């Protein structure tokens, strides 16, 4: 199975900060990497698919990049509603799907 | 509008069989490229993919739970059912169903674009 790792596991940031989260795959997954945002008590929400495509309705301050084994999610200017946990997920090895362990963003 | 809603018991005893139902609307599981997944999240933990069923009725399971899981669909009711046998307290989690689509022929899907709200299951005697 393809293993996913994320760094950092958590971070503290302030409103307006630029934040970058990294996701790494244990083998080449091309661009089949997707990002989700989860707020406490809520279901995850798809933010970005195929590494860099913004899901409809997602603010443009979110962006994704990468291919192969290394990917990043960037929030250009952190907003109060962005404090949440972010997960990456690969679909390259569908039907065996795997998620990263998550990155929690807290208020500094 | 695409929606999914999970339902099932809130409490089950160890060794029992857990049955969860995902009732969806706004799409058909008989449409080419359409899939439904089950995902779970133990308290404070990461997301874990459990099972997938597709438009051709192909079924797939996570390796670690393959012997305990069964996924099925009822096209007429727009439902997907997941059963898990011999549950244990470690199976305590929130269980989500999600939609996923193969958009481009021959390529992997684009991610899980719609999620249910989740149903919380506690395994305890």
């Amino acid at each position: 199975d393809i293993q996913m790792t994320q760094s950092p596991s958590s971070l503290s940031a302030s409103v307006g900060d630029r934040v970058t989260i990294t996701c790494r795959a244990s083998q080449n997954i091309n661009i089949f990497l997707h990002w989700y945002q989860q707020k406490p008590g809520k279901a995850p929400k798809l933010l970005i698919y195929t590494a860099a495509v913004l899901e409809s309705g997602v603010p443009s301050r979110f962006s994704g990049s990468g291919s192969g084994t290394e990917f990043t999610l960037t929030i250009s200017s952190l907003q109060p509603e962005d404090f949440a946990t972010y997960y990456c997920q690969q679909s390259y090895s569908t039907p065996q799907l795997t998620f990263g362990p998550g990155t929690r963003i807290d208020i500094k | 509008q695409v929606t999914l809603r999970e339902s099932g018991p809130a409490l089950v005893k160890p060794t029992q069989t857990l049955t969860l139902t995902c009732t969806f609307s706004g799409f058909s599981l008989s449409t080419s490229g359409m899939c439904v997944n089950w995902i779970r999240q133990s308290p404070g933990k990461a997301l874990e993919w459990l099972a997938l069923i597709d438009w051709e009725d192909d079924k797939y399971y996570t390796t670690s739970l393959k012997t305990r899981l069964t996924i099925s669909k009822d096209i007429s009711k727009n439902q997907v059912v997941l059963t898990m046998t011999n549950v244990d307290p470690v199976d305590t989690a929130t269980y989500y169903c999600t939609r996923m689509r193969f958009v481009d022929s021959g390529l992997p899907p684009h991610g899980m674009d719609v999620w249910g709200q989740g149903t919380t299951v506690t395994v305890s005697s």
Side-chain angles (χ1 to χ4, degrees):
Chain A
D1 289 0
I2 297 176
Q3 308 301 318
M4 309 300 295
T5 60
Q6 289 182 235
S7 60
S9 57
S10 66
L11 65 92
S12 295
S14 301
V15 172
D17 284 353
R18 181 181 181 88
V19 170
T20 298
I21 299 169
T22 299
C23 175
R24 291 184 175 87
S26 60
Q27 63 188 73
N28 182 7
I29 58 170
N30 199 314
I31 60 166
F32 297 100
L33 186 284
H34 322 292
W35 291 98
Y36 301 85
Q37 176 193 66
Q38 186 180 33
K39 297 181 180 179
K42 300 294 186 182
K45 169 189 169 185
L46 180 64
L47 291 179
I48 289 171
Y49 60 91
T50 55
V53 182
L54 220 58
E55 177 73 342
S56 176
V58 174
S60 59
R61 63 182 180 271
F62 291 91
S63 64
S65 65
S67 66
T69 62
E70 188 160 327
F71 302 85
T72 59
L73 171 70
T74 299
I75 309 173
S76 60
S77 177
L78 202 63
Q79 297 302 300
E81 60 268 31
D82 301 337
F83 291 95
T85 300
Y86 294 82
Y87 294 94
C88 60
Q89 176 245 323
Q90 66 81 21
S91 63
Y92 181 83
S93 66
T94 300
Q96 296 296 322
L97 306 171
T98 45
F99 289 89
T103 295
R104 189 177 78 242
I105 300 179
D106 294 328
I107 300 174
K108 182 183 286 184
Chain B
Q1 182 189 7
V2 173
T3 65
L4 304 98
R5 186 182 75 251
E6 306 87 349
S7 57
L11 180 66
V12 290
K13 296 184 187 316
T15 75
Q16 289 187 335
T17 294
L18 170 65
T19 299
L20 298 171
T21 301
C22 174
T23 304
F24 56 88
S25 63
F27 69 98
S28 173
L29 242 188
S30 60
T31 299
S32 179
M34 211 66 72
C35 308
V36 169
N37 296 284
W38 282 96
I39 309 296
R40 75 177 178 181
Q41 186 172 37
S42 301
K45 302 295 186 182
L47 302 163
E48 179 183 17
W49 173 77
L50 299 178
L52 176 159
I53 190 165
D54 70 15
W55 72 102
E56 295 184 322
D57 206 33
D58 293 322
K59 303 160 187 177
Y60 304 94
Y61 304 98
T62 188
T63 304
S64 61
L65 295 171
K66 186 174 183 176
T67 60
R68 298 175 50 210
L69 297 175
T70 302
I71 192 170
S72 62
K73 63 185 168 86
D74 186 328
I75 296 294
S76 64
K77 293 182 179 179
N78 277 354
Q79 290 182 334
V80 171
V81 174
L82 181 74
T83 62
M84 176 183 290
T85 60
N86 193 26
V87 297
D88 181 271
V90 300
D91 297 313
T92 294
T94 297
Y95 289 77
Y96 298 99
C97 59
T98 74
R99 185 183 78 160
M100 186 173 75
R101 294 174 292 167
F102 286 85
V103 176
D104 301 310
S105 178
L107 294 178
H110 284 183
M112 303 177 197
D113 63 345
V114 187
W115 292 62
Q117 63 187 16
T119 187
T120 299
V121 178
T122 300
V123 180
S124 175
S125 55

